[in-house]
Amino acid sequence: MQTDLTTLTVTEAAEARRSIRSYKDRPVPAEDLREILRITSLAPSAFNVQPWRFVVVQDADTRERLKEAAFGQKQVGAAPAVIVLYSDIRDALDTLEEVVHPNYPAEERPAVANGFRTSFSAKPAVEQAAWGTGQSYIALGYLLLAAQSLGYATSPMLGFDPAKVKEILGLPEHVTVPALVALGEADEEGFPHHRHPVERIATFR
Ligand SMILES: Cc1cc2nc3c(=O)[nH]c(=O)nc-3n(C[C@H](O)[C@H](O)[C@H](O)COP(=O)(O)O)c2cc1C
């Protein structure tokens, strides 16, 4: 953690976070990256499936290649770390037993996993992949706030060619890539929030 900074509360992190596209040329300590991903891993998902997976790219050459795959977006080359968030629903389904809560008696756990596996496997592959992508965006939200709370800026991105990103990182064809996230110490302020007021996006009944 950036030791000179106090950890922010969720509210403080949400208020402070902005997309940052210029970064200081300072690596992010491995323990900070691990802690950001640990907090991210606490995100909830339907049936606790946790289909999200991450590749943390710090190597400069790989970041340059990712930058090309992201249509030259400068933050991909400038940030000391780029976290590639992908969803591997096939791996998640194959290993469902891992995510069945240990509070279930041991003898019931295979049946719990199989129940979900059987019903979910009936969906078309495209729908399964989209489901995993949707769940992974919950993790993206956690990641952005976790990074901010530990003093790091982020830039989430959808502007990239997923096939190229998969090729660069050697990821399997069937995975989806919901986002790239540039992460590091900010070297600009970013834009102040410009958001709908609550009255525009919510009704209370
Ligand atoms: C899923 C997602 C994809 C995004 N893709 C890009 C992108 O490819 N390039 C970029 O510069 N900003 C991208 N953004 C940043 C948004 O434009 C930004 O979050 C929004 O304008 C609000 O600004 P703020 O993040 O500074 O509050 C993306 C944001 C999200 C959440």
Side-chain angles (χ1 to χ4, degrees), residues 17-19 21 73 75 137 140 144 155-160 178-179 191 193 195:
R17 203 209 70 80
R18 299 166 172 193
S19 286
R21 299 172 180 91
Q73 295 200 64
Q75 61 269 35
Y137 280 121
L140 174 65
L144 300 179
S155 170
M157 281 164 277
L158 258 183
F160 57 87
F191 296 106
H193 285 146
R195 298 291 196 265

Side-chain angles (χ1 to χ4, degrees), residues 99-173:
V99 301
V100 178
H101 201 280
N103 278 10
Y104 278 103
E107 63 276 15
E108 287 179 24
R109 301 180 70 202
V112 173
N114 275 329
F116 181 82
R117 187 180 283 123
T118 306
S119 62
F120 193 81
S121 299
K123 293 178 193 291
V126 166
E127 208 178 302
Q128 291 181 23
W131 188 93
T133 303
Q135 301 299 314
S136 297
Y137 280 121
I138 304 170
L140 174 65
Y142 270 54
L143 197 166
L144 300 179
L145 289 178
Q148 191 72 40
S149 103
L150 297 187
Y152 293 102
T154 51
S155 170
M157 281 164 277
L158 258 183
F160 57 87
D161 178 340
K164 285 206 177 118
V165 169
K166 288 194 248 181
E167 186 193 322
I168 291 165
L169 300 178
L171 298 175
E173 166 79 29

